[in-house]
Amino acid sequence: MKIGELAARSGVAPKTLRFYEDSGVIPVPVRKSNGYRDFGPESLSRLRFVRSAQSAGLTLREIRQILTTHDRGAAPCEQVVEMLSEHLSQVRGKIRELATLETNLVALLGRAESGIPPETDDVGVCWILESESQDGVAES
């Protein structure tokens, strides 16, 4: 099938298909005598895998590694588990960071809502952020 048909059937834009081809995520298709790409039906299943992997947070580099393992005839599932575990660990770390940030923002807004600036000349820009006693505000 031509690139336009593959794009329509897969929901992936032709420009993205060309990028995937250049990136090594999908194999370079055979070209017809007129120069048009001729993608086989296996391209659809490969694109489904790529989209699923991306929705799980895997990068194109990681996806390419998995596909390389698969293309060599080995099962990449153990590799996938390692990658997904690493991504889950990173996501959990980001969630902890965001929870700390949320706590800090709530404290700062609480200070702002009190509307009582300190009686000091040490404030340079904004007393809400520059108060020496960052009551309830965690250091990050």
Side-chain angles (χ1 to χ4, degrees), residues 1 11-12 16-17 20 22 27 36-37 39 41 52 54 61 63 75-76 78 84 86-87 96 111 127:
M1 71 190 96
V12 177
T16 303
L17 292 173
Y20 285 169
D22 291 342
Y36 290 151
R37 292 169 172 86
F39 292 94
S52 293
Q54 285 179 316
R61 182 185 60 76
I63 294 167
E78 191 172 313
L84 293 177
E86 177 61 29
H87 278 271
R96 285 190 298 275
R111 180 179 304 136
W127 66 273

Side-chain angles (χ1 to χ4, degrees), residues 121-139:
D121 292 333
D122 292 343
V123 176
V125 178
C126 178
W127 66 273
I128 298 166
L129 295 173
E130 297 181 60
S131 174
E132 279 186 37
S133 67
Q134 301 251 328
D135 302 348
V137 178
E139 294 291 322

Side-chain angles (χ1 to χ4, degrees), residues 15-16 32 63 67 71 94 100 108 125 129 135 139:
K15 185 175 183 178
T16 303
K32 293 183 177 184
I63 294 167
L67 290 170
D71 293 345
K94 287 177 186 177
T100 299
L108 289 168
V125 178
L129 295 173
D135 302 348
E139 294 291 322

Side-chain angles (χ1 to χ4, degrees), residues 65-107:
Q65 291 172 346
I66 293 165
L67 290 170
T68 299
T69 300
H70 172 267
D71 293 345
R72 286 191 315 244
C77 294
E78 191 172 313
Q79 184 180 13
V80 169
V81 168
E82 289 175 19
M83 289 177 180
L84 293 177
S85 294
E86 177 61 29
H87 278 271
L88 179 58
S89 176
Q90 291 171 0
V91 165
R92 287 178 172 161
K94 287 177 186 177
I95 289 171
R96 285 190 298 275
E97 289 174 15
L98 288 171
T100 299
L101 177 59
E102 178 187 29
T103 300
N104 290 344
L105 292 172
V106 167

Side-chain angles (χ1 to χ4, degrees), residues 24-64:
V25 175
I26 60 174
V28 176
V30 176
R31 293 217 180 228
K32 293 183 177 184
S33 60
N34 60 8
Y36 290 151
R37 292 169 172 86
D38 187 21
F39 292 94
E42 69 283 352
S43 297
L44 278 173
S45 62
R46 192 152 178 129
L47 286 169
R48 277 193 292 275
F49 172 79
V50 170
R51 297 202 48 177
S52 293
Q54 285 179 316
S55 70
L58 298 180
T59 65
L60 284 181
R61 182 185 60 76
E62 291 167 325
I63 294 167
R64 191 172 40 253

